[in-house]
Amino acid sequence: MGEPAALRTTRSGEVGARTAPSGRPLERGTIGSSIAVRDAVKRYGSFHAVDRISIDIEPGEFITLLGPSGSGKTTLLNLVAGFQSLDSGEILVDGKPVHNVPTHKRGFGMVFQSYALFPNMTVSQNVAFPLRMAGVDRATTDRRVAETLEIMRLTEHATKSPSQMSGGQQQRVAIARAIVRRPRVVLMDEPLSALDRRLRESIQIEIRDLHRTIGSTILFVTHDQGEALTMSDRIAVLNAGKIVQIGRPLDIYRHPTDRFVASFVGESNLIEAEILQKRGSTLTMKNRAGYVFNAESRDTIDVGRATVLVRPERIAVSNEPTANSTRVSVTSAIFLGEILRIEANMEGGEPLLIRCTDMAVRPLPSVGDRLHVSWGAADCWVLA
Amino acid sequence: MTSASIGVQADRPAELDLVRRLKDPALLLLPALAFLAFIYLLPLIDLIRISVSGPSWSSYFARVFAIPLYWDSLVRTMQISVTVAGLCLLFGYPTALLIHRSRGIAQVLIATAIVLPYFIAILIRTYAWMVLLGRNGPVNKLLVSVGILSEPVQLLFNRGTVLLGMTAVLLPLMVLTIYSSVARLDQSLTRAALASGAGPIAAFWRVLLPLTLPGMGAGFLLVFVAAIGFFITPTLLGGPSDQMFAMHITQQADSVTSEGFLQALGVVLLTITLAVVAVAGRFLGFEFIWGGRKLTEAAPTTTDRHAADAGRRSFGASAADLIGWPLLRLFGRLPASFGTWTVRLMGGLVITILILPIIVVMIISFSSASYLTFPPPGFSFRWYEQFFSDSNWMRAFWTSLVVAAMSAGIAIVLGASAALGIVRSSIRGKSTIMLLLVSPIIVPPVVLGLSLYSLFLRFDMVGSVFGLAAAHAIGGLPLVVVILSASLQGVDTRLEQAAAVHGASFPTVFRLVTLPAIMPGLAAATFFAFLHSFDELVLTLFLSSAELKTLPLMLWGDINYRLNPVLAVVSTLEVLLVVAGLVLARPVLATSRKAT
């Protein structure tokens, strides 16, 4: 039948075969599948939850769908999982369309926001479930479950019921269940959103390392930009059912394509300025207050008005005027520990957010203080 | 204002202590408890007293069990009840899944098709089956016209129709109970099973079914307990060999000589019912009766069962390896559409069984024929004219309205106060009090009617409107308490605290925050209490007189005497009443269902 090769391998019992699909080079034991989404559309009435999204995911890639709630990221994940069907377009796994393959035959692993551990089974029964369904014999199942519990540091909890465990432990069980079959694709739907910050950060690293070990393709959904930046090979930023930008975390952060990405990922100052002159990829610009500065940009920008992104931590602050500096007046200053967060007004009244490291020589400014700020061409990015 | 009042408080602690005690919300429970103690517990205790007042305490009971007629009937009642509960479970589960899985307008329609019959009087729904299966009914007509039968036959008055009728009457109870347990589950559990490679059937078997087992148990027992005390449906649809236990009590009630023996029959029925409920409550928690959340002292005791199971597991595991898992995987190969279609077909059948009789009766009410026949030869309003011009019917109709209004009034005042008391006080033994308040739902109406009859005779209240309304309120009270305590639990107490912090006094808080929040619940509770009394037949059979006839009583008399389309008119009016009530109460139902 037209069943993808990937799925056939997982179902035949020999799970986690380390052969890459047709002639693709093996790297760090990649078992992941490639996923291609082409012009995917999912409507609810007149609302386009997913609006002609196309994305190519490399085998073994860790890709994050990042966006605010209602941006369509979870719908896209559900489409890949097979919980919902496309209105148009197609999804290919290892080059083969999967629209006729029901969820349980896709052979993916999945981690849910609510953990979705079966309350009627123990931890080890939960983890064994996918293997049992795949028809793996009991001896192998027991061994694989033990291994997986070991990896997730859950061995001593094997006979507990999920309700007896903490949120972080439950989430690790859910991850164990998702990876026990060594699936080619693991889908994660905001798996960390119910955990507190410290736990979230430690599990982020755990998932990151796990991805390196097992080499599955991971499709991770989150609304937390920090999480996306920490974990992903690439990030796809979604808004209103469309992918706004896709790229490496560094690119997304440093070179966002528009105001939405710039303000959704990280804190940002978006400064309206007039382009005075263009020399190569460097522009000379002037903001409303008359501050003249250089900025890097794409080649396509012409003379006119533009929005410039300046990240708060890229702004240099001093108490005395320096070359190319402009004066701001402080409206608020907060000590956050390792950094100071300063809000100030530029001379034209535009607000400016500054983050600078806490240094012994720098006193915490008080409201109304004058500071002198500047930034270099490499510290700004002109949005299209 | 605060500093002054604090000063006063510090000065007079003793007086304040009394004031505080008088303000304890637990006192709000007293009216309802007093009411139930007098009109419900006392008569039941008296019933038991009479039943043991023979030459020796057990002499009446010895007679009950010595006469084969009663013993056989008891066994038959058990058989019928178990079968009905089983049938309800078999067909109710897919129907609950169908409601759960459908979306939008389809879900509303399907849910309405289940809920609507739930609120229509058992008498009327049974009558609809008599019409449907009668000699001139649509089923006979259809079978003759397609050539399966050469002439109409008697389809009624056998075991099959009793089972069909009782199952149809009790199905909504089962569906709603299971639905609430299915809807409570985390949706992603099924998805997790699918994502783990379980086919839809394996996911159902390993995840959905085990997790809804308590709901299934609750549904089965509720239906079983209701069926044990059933009286109307088997009387109308059954033959001489389908006598159920409750029917003997009403038959014996006419002869004065059976004092003591009669009560013994009632006690036997009551004991069986309570025993079943007690065993069920032991395993499911008594909350299953009212399908609500635990009220207080809800410390879930997690026993480490799994460790104890380890020894037994090896045998079970090898059996599972050998048969269970391969079988499950095999079923997993079945296309998903298999399960979907099973659910749709069975659910569709249930909806047909529930709705078809009602529709047929509504059509017949407009018949121009002078006897019951379907399809009607022509349409007219003649039966409506006859109904509205017949002074007997109109008097009964009016009596029913008055009794139902009074009964709803009693139930809502006592019930609302009790609900406030139980939700807002911090007394111990809330579960026990709740159980007492709700228990009239469980007691077979025949037993309740019998026990009340003695009480009413003693106080000369037989045939009194107020007495009848109060008796009906026994059953209305639990409905009010359950609905309103769910509403009250839904009110965020922090809202009340917020209002109080910002300077609102207690009455103001109640008027501005609490009352608006429970208003929909209050409206729904009033409607259901009204409807409960309006539909009530069994207690009325015991407590009314020749001068005091309610609508159901008139219907009952007519159904036994002659089947004519006037009854269809009454049924149609009742359906319209329920539909109107449901439309008004729909927003409430939607929210309270989510809450429970």
Side-chain angles (χ1 to χ4, degrees), chain B residues 293-514:
Chain B
R293 293 174 285 183
K294 295 206 176 218
L295 279 164
T296 42
E297 49 241 323
T301 47
T302 45
T303 48
D304 203 350
R305 234 168 356 105
H306 304 291
D309 283 350
R312 274 192 292 141
R313 204 181 288 163
S314 58
F315 173 73
S318 47
D321 280 355
L322 212 62
I323 310 159
W325 289 101
L327 209 61
L328 256 194
R329 286 191 290 270
L330 199 68
F331 278 127
R333 301 247 174 94
L334 282 171
S337 58
F338 177 80
T340 315
W341 279 106
T342 312
V343 164
R344 283 190 192 157
L345 281 176
M346 293 182 83
L349 184 68
V350 166
I351 291 167
T352 313
I353 282 179
L354 290 179
I355 290 299
L356 190 67
I358 296 172
I359 292 174
V360 166
V361 163
M362 290 179 83
I363 293 173
I364 276 185
S365 73
F366 296 101
S367 169
S368 62
S370 56
Y371 58 97
L372 270 184
T373 182
F374 192 93
F379 292 98
S380 76
F381 283 102
R382 61 182 285 196
W383 299 108
Y384 284 85
E385 281 160 21
Q386 180 162 344
F387 173 75
F388 285 108
S389 60
D390 185 325
S391 63
N392 285 328
W393 279 112
M394 289 322 287
R395 199 178 320 119
F397 184 63
W398 187 243
T399 308
S400 274
L401 282 182
V402 171
V403 170
M406 279 173 78
S407 174
I410 298 170
I412 206 80
V413 169
L414 297 177
S417 141
L420 262 175
I422 204 147
V423 174
R424 287 300 151 81
S425 73
S426 48
I427 49 165
R428 281 183 298 167
K430 272 190 192 179
S431 299
T432 316
I433 294 172
M434 188 69 176
L435 189 59
L436 175 66
L437 288 171
V438 173
S439 62
I441 297 179
I442 295 300
V443 175
V446 173
V447 176
L448 204 54
L450 182 63
S451 70
L452 280 171
Y453 186 55
S454 313
L455 181 85
F456 274 45
L457 275 182
R458 192 169 312 161
F459 291 93
D460 196 23
M461 292 199 319
V462 172
S464 110
V465 171
F466 178 77
L468 191 59
H472 286 175
I474 300 173
L477 186 65
L479 301 175
V480 176
V481 171
V482 168
I483 295 173
L484 280 187
S485 52
S487 295
L488 278 169
Q489 279 179 306
V491 180
D492 190 346
T493 44
R494 280 170 300 182
L495 285 180
E496 296 177 351
Q497 288 164 355
V501 162
H502 292 110
S505 64
F506 175 73
T508 318
V509 171
F510 187 81
R511 187 166 51 83
L512 292 181
V513 179
T514 319

Side-chain angles (χ1 to χ4, degrees), chain B residues 154-173:
Chain B
Q154 183 56 276
L155 297 172
L156 286 166
F157 315 130
N158 56 57
R159 183 63 58 86
T161 47
V162 171
L163 292 178
L164 176 66
M166 286 178 68
T167 305
V169 166
L170 290 168
L171 254 170
L173 180 63

Side-chain angles (χ1 to χ4, degrees), chain A residues 104 108 114 117 120 130 132 138, chain B residues 186 188 195 198 206 321 329:
Chain A
H104 63 284
F108 298 166
S114 62
L117 296 178
N120 53 329
R132 311 259 50 187
R138 187 168 289 271
Chain B
D186 181 359
S188 51
R206 286 291 291 147
D321 280 355
R329 286 191 290 270

Side-chain angles (χ1 to χ4, degrees), chain A residues 271-278 283-295 301-308 350 382:
Chain A
I271 298 166
E272 300 291 334
E274 193 185 333
I275 301 171
L276 299 176
Q277 193 184 16
K278 182 176 181 184
L283 299 175
T284 305
M285 313 189 73
K286 187 172 84 174
N287 82 340
R288 275 196 300 217
Y291 176 51
V292 178
F293 57 93
N294 287 337
I301 304 281
D302 279 327
V303 178
R305 297 197 69 83
T307 304
V308 182
E350 272 186 276
V382 181

Side-chain angles (χ1 to χ4, degrees), chain B residues 500-551:
Chain B
V501 162
H502 292 110
S505 64
F506 175 73
T508 318
V509 171
F510 187 81
R511 187 166 51 83
L512 292 181
V513 179
T514 319
L515 199 57
I518 64 167
M519 206 56 210
L522 210 56
T526 312
F527 174 67
F528 292 142
F530 179 89
L531 206 60
H532 171 79
S533 167
F534 195 77
D535 289 346
E536 218 298 320
L537 171 64
V538 181
L539 294 189
T540 316
L541 276 174
F542 284 93
L543 304 178
S544 64
S545 63
E547 291 76 46
L548 182 73
K549 280 204 162 165
T550 64
L551 203 55

Side-chain angles (χ1 to χ4, degrees), chain A residues 11 78 83-84 102-105 107-110 112 114-122 124-125 129-136 138 159-161 163-164 177 181, chain B residues 185-186 188-200 202-203 206-207 210-211 302-307 313 316-318 320-321 325 328-329 332-334 336:
Chain A
R11 285 180 45 209
N78 286 341
F83 295 139
Q84 285 160 334
T103 301
H104 63 284
K105 292 185 181 164
F108 298 166
M110 185 156 181
F112 294 83
S114 62
Y115 317 136
L117 296 178
F118 307 127
N120 53 329
M121 304 180 197
T122 62
S124 55
Q125 283 170 336
F129 189 80
L131 298 173
R132 311 259 50 187
M133 286 300 154
V136 178
R138 187 168 289 271
T159 57
K160 280 190 188 167
S161 117
S163 60
Q164 293 170 298
R177 185 178 64 187
R181 222 171 12 165
Chain B
L185 283 185
D186 181 359
S188 51
L189 282 172
T190 327
R191 291 185 161 187
L194 291 177
S196 301
R206 286 291 291 147
V207 178
L211 293 179
T302 45
T303 48
D304 203 350
R305 234 168 356 105
H306 304 291
R313 204 181 288 163
S318 47
D321 280 355
W325 289 101
L328 256 194
R329 286 191 290 270
R333 301 247 174 94
L334 282 171

